[in-house]
Amino acid sequence: MSKADFRYEELPGSFYDDHTNPAKYGRFAAWYHSTRYARLAATVAEYARHGDLVLDVACGSAVWNSARLAVLGLDINASMLRQGLTNGRLVAGIVSDLARAGLADNSVDLIVSSEVLEHIHEKGDVVAEYFRLLKPGGRLVLTVPFDRPGTPFFVLFNAQCLYQGWIRGDTYYRAFCGHVNHFSPLAVKRLLCSSGFLVERQFLHHYFLIYTVAAKPL
């Protein structure tokens, strides 16, 4: 499954941790990333039960998992997986993309997909794979940017990419952080329902992120 044309797998293991450091990314960015990780942790905690197999797809270093839940991480960036394992935020890691991970049907209780689908050209294939992996009654906790013209995310994200990418010369931001899809809440709901999910809940985080909780029917 193809991502945007930048070398994500070569980013350093501390990349996502660094975004919470105001000395490196500024106070606003550090606040934003810290709050999104905290909100994700709280949302997952509402649905994860003791003994559940939780899979974090394209997990990076799983910065959100401050509670040290038992999470299996899947990512193509080995350095980020090592960072998550070292910090106790992952119990195991698989260096792979989703299509090649070899995970069994109906094997996962909860999937975390935090800001993944905006990077993936074949988003429908990824959602179908989530559905295959989840046990009946299992849940998907999904976040994507609310990235439509005029939204706060759209304005500030593009301004940041202009500054970091073209003024400071950061190639990751010059590639718009690999964003190839742009979502509204309705677009997310339609995408999930097309693969058989039942959307149970949607809400916005600071009007920047769309949170969706969806279930695989029993």
Side-chain angles (χ1 to χ4, degrees):
M1 297 174 184
S2 56
K3 301 184 80 171
D5 296 329
F6 67 92
R7 302 295 292 178
Y8 168 82
E9 60 270 32
E10 295 178 1
L11 292 174
S14 63
F15 179 77
Y16 290 113
D17 296 78
D18 289 345
H19 277 71
T20 64
N21 184 343
K24 293 186 176 182
Y25 281 89
R27 290 182 180 180
F28 178 81
W31 166 82
Y32 167 66
H33 289 291
S34 295
T35 61
R36 76 179 179 94
Y37 294 143
R39 192 67 177 271
L40 181 59
T43 304
V44 172
E46 291 184 50
Y47 298 96
R49 301 162 299 183
H50 180 71
D52 277 355
L53 176 58
V54 178
L55 173 67
D56 188 351
V57 176
C59 62
S61 54
V63 180
W64 66 270
N65 190 19
S66 56
R68 305 298 193 264
L69 301 177
V71 174
L72 169 64
L74 175 68
D75 204 284
I76 62 172
N77 187 305
S79 295
M80 291 185 188
L81 285 174
R82 285 194 297 271
Q83 179 93 350
L85 290 165
T86 299
N87 291 332
R89 299 189 295 246
L90 297 172
V91 296
I94 302 172
V95 183
S96 175
D97 66 16
L98 187 60
R100 298 173 179 83
L103 299 172
D105 294 356
N106 307 314
S107 60
V108 177
D109 296 287
L110 190 149
I111 291 176
V112 178
S113 177
S114 178
E115 293 170 71
V116 176
L117 293 184
E118 68 270 22
H119 298 279
I120 306 294
H121 289 290
E122 304 89 347
K123 60 185 184 296
D125 293 344
V126 173
V127 171
E129 186 71 355
Y130 293 165
F131 192 87
R132 180 187 72 81
L133 291 174
L134 279 171
K135 297 176 183 177
R139 286 186 171 89
L140 169 67
V141 176
L142 173 76
T143 77
V144 292
F146 187 10
D147 187 15
R148 290 295 173 90
T151 63
F153 183 93
F154 180 90
V155 173
L156 292 176
F157 176 74
N158 283 283
Q160 182 186 41
C161 288
L162 175 64
Y163 173 69
Q164 295 285 356
W166 275 268
I167 296 176
R168 300 191 64 182
D170 188 318
T171 57
Y172 176 73
Y173 282 95
R174 188 170 291 183
F176 290 91
C177 305
H179 289 200
V180 295
N181 296 310
H182 310 279
F183 291 101
S184 68
L186 181 58
V188 174
K189 187 172 183 178
R190 285 174 172 168
L191 176 62
L192 295 178
C193 290
S194 70
S195 286
F197 278 103
L198 300 176
V199 173
E200 297 181 332
R201 180 184 177 197
Q202 279 192 312
F203 61 91
L204 299 178
H205 177 62
H206 298 312
Y207 282 86
F208 279 73
L209 296 178
I210 304 163
Y211 273 68
T212 305
V213 179
K216 181 174 179 176
L218 291 169

